Amino acid sequence: MKVLCLGEPVLRLTPRLPLMLHQTDELSMAFVGSEVTVAKSLALQGDDVALASVVSSNTLGDRSLMELRRFGVDVSRVQRADRRLGVYYVERGGTVRPDKVLYDRDGTAMRDATRDDFDWDSLLNGVWSFYFSGVVASITPELGRVVEEALIASKGRGIRTFCDLNFRRGMILPAAARDLWGRLLPYVDVVCGSDEDYVGIWEREGFDGDEDERASAADRLLTRNGIQSLAMNSRAVDAGGLLSVQGMLLSEEGLFRSQSRDVAPMEQSGCGDAFSASIVHGLLHRWDPQHTLDYAVAHAAYKATVEGELSWADEATIEQIVSGDARGSIIR
């Protein structure tokens, strides 16, 4: 059951804690990107995963693909171009000092890609499921059209489609995001995201209330677009710095809610990707919805305890966390 992820590898550069970019003389390297992280996570959980992308033909591009191969991700569908690799800088905060992220993505191989660069007749051969996020769809309007064509081609072939809303206000404004998702969601079977994604795109359309109000708003979104399943994760940090993670999953089988998992966080980057990868993994293997949700929330909480954007967790590791607590309840 090969999963094809569409996304862009980027180079993450980070000062060691607790240094700021103003202070440091050294930066650690990691090759990440939302869809790339999901692809690696799915591979760690035992799934057959491939990446479709346009990647720099320079040494950094080579290294990014080496990292993907290291996890067993199929990169045979990746094209190379004489452009640069995207970079972003992450400065970790603390207490009153927030995290800082600086993007440098102009002129990258993926940013300059066009619809002509993607032959979906070929790219979708042997693929069972297609995954993308709002990050790749928001890089340029042209890449939004690339995603739209990929979804139409997938639906025409009976390929199951997954997405993570992954709203980034620095990449796309809410009005443009609503227009983009208005075109894409009718072709998506399973939608993942955080409550902040929903609020940011649809400007607090019911998602800022209590759990029942958020569930009603999610149901409206699901019904309006013919979505099969919609999964939402929520994260909050209390005054003591403890992170609480919980989620809900709405499907034809009902509304499922998880218990809250509290952890002392190391880094929250990548928690949403861990959640989405686990929702995809559970639904691919036809787990019951409650277990899929509990597994995804456990994975997101576990990721928060790991530095960097990848949890490095396999299925057995996540299942051990799930089995340590009582299951959640179903609300019909």
Side-chain angles (χ1 to χ4, degrees):
M1 297 188 295
K2 186 179 287 292
V3 182
L4 179 63
C5 299
L6 174 66
E8 178 186 28
V10 292
L11 173 62
R12 167 179 151 145
L13 298 174
T14 314
R16 64 175 176 83
L17 284 171
L19 296 181
M20 300 185 296
L21 287 166
H22 288 301
Q23 299 172 289
T24 189
D25 294 320
E26 297 179 353
L27 296 168
S28 62
M29 295 171 53
F31 292 89
V32 294
S34 180
E35 297 87 0
V36 167
T37 300
V38 168
K40 292 177 180 178
S41 182
L42 287 170
L44 281 166
Q45 293 174 76
D47 293 317
D48 183 7
V49 191
L51 180 74
S53 186
V54 182
V55 174
S56 173
S57 57
N58 65 21
T59 303
L60 291 176
D62 293 340
R63 174 70 185 276
S64 72
L65 298 186
M66 289 171 61
E67 289 292 316
L68 284 157
R69 292 190 189 98
R70 174 187 178 191
F71 290 88
V73 177
D74 175 5
V75 296
S76 63
R77 292 169 173 81
V78 173
Q79 303 175 67
R80 309 300 295 275
D82 188 19
R83 298 286 189 275
R84 59 189 294 266
L85 192 74
V87 180
Y88 76 104
Y89 302 82
V90 179
E91 178 184 291
R92 300 279 306 285
T95 59
V96 297
R97 180 167 60 89
D99 291 352
K100 181 183 293 185
V101 179
L102 301 176
Y103 290 100
D104 181 11
R105 303 180 78 155
D106 287 343
T108 68
M110 193 66 168
R111 188 179 184 89
D112 291 345
T114 69
R115 281 169 277 183
D116 292 337
D117 293 316
F118 296 89
D119 178 7
W120 294 112
D121 281 336
S122 172
L123 292 171
L124 293 171
N125 280 339
V127 170
W128 285 61
S129 300
F130 175 76
Y131 177 90
F132 74 99
S133 89
V135 172
V136 68
S138 302
I139 293 175
T140 63
E142 178 70 5
L143 282 174
R145 295 295 182 185
V146 167
V147 171
E148 187 176 1
E149 290 189 353
L151 289 171
I152 292 171
S154 295
K155 296 302 285 184
R157 291 161 175 77
I159 294 171
R160 198 172 189 187
T161 53
F162 296 81
C163 79
D164 185 333
L165 294 172
N166 245 339
F167 176 67
R168 300 288 185 270
R169 190 174 290 272
M171 297 183 70
I172 188 169
L173 295 174
R178 287 193 295 274
D179 176 70
L180 173 67
W181 287 109
R183 301 197 320 266
L184 301 182
L185 285 181
Y187 302 105
V188 176
D189 296 318
V190 179
V191 176
C192 303
S194 71
D195 51 0
E196 293 181 354
D197 292 329
Y198 293 90
V199 170
I201 296 170
W202 286 282
E203 295 188 326
R204 316 190 77 82
E205 187 184 296
F207 290 99
D208 58 333
D210 60 24
E211 287 189 3
D212 290 337
E213 290 176 341
R214 288 199 299 271
S216 296
D219 184 59
R220 290 196 298 273
L221 187 65
L222 183 146
T223 303
R224 189 163 60 224
N225 294 282
I227 299 165
Q228 294 176 4
S229 300
L230 190 152
M232 181 191 301
N233 74 89
S234 177
R235 304 191 298 274
V237 179
D238 65 17
L242 198 65
L243 175 68
S244 175
V245 184
Q246 56 185 331
M248 74 175 188
L249 174 61
L250 182 63
S251 72
E252 296 173 349
E253 298 177 64
L255 172 64
F256 302 83
R257 291 185 174 131
S258 77
Q259 294 182 337
S260 177
R261 289 190 176 272
D262 300 330
V263 295
M266 173 68 72
E267 181 173 352
Q268 289 196 54
S269 296
C271 289
D273 295 328
F275 179 84
S276 295
S278 295
I279 292 292
V280 173
H281 180 70
L283 294 181
L284 281 178
H285 294 275
R286 299 181 180 180
W287 293 352
D288 73 78
Q290 185 66 60
H291 183 69
T292 298
L293 177 62
D294 292 342
Y295 180 93
V297 169
H299 192 187
Y302 179 89
K303 163 59 209 62
T305 69
V306 179
E307 188 173 3
E309 300 200 7
L310 182 67
S311 72
W312 296 85
D314 58 14
E315 182 182 295
T317 300
I318 305 166
E319 287 287 15
Q320 286 175 358
I321 302 170
V322 177
S323 63
D325 289 324
R327 295 166 62 85
S329 58
I330 176 172
I331 299 94
R332 293 191 183 277

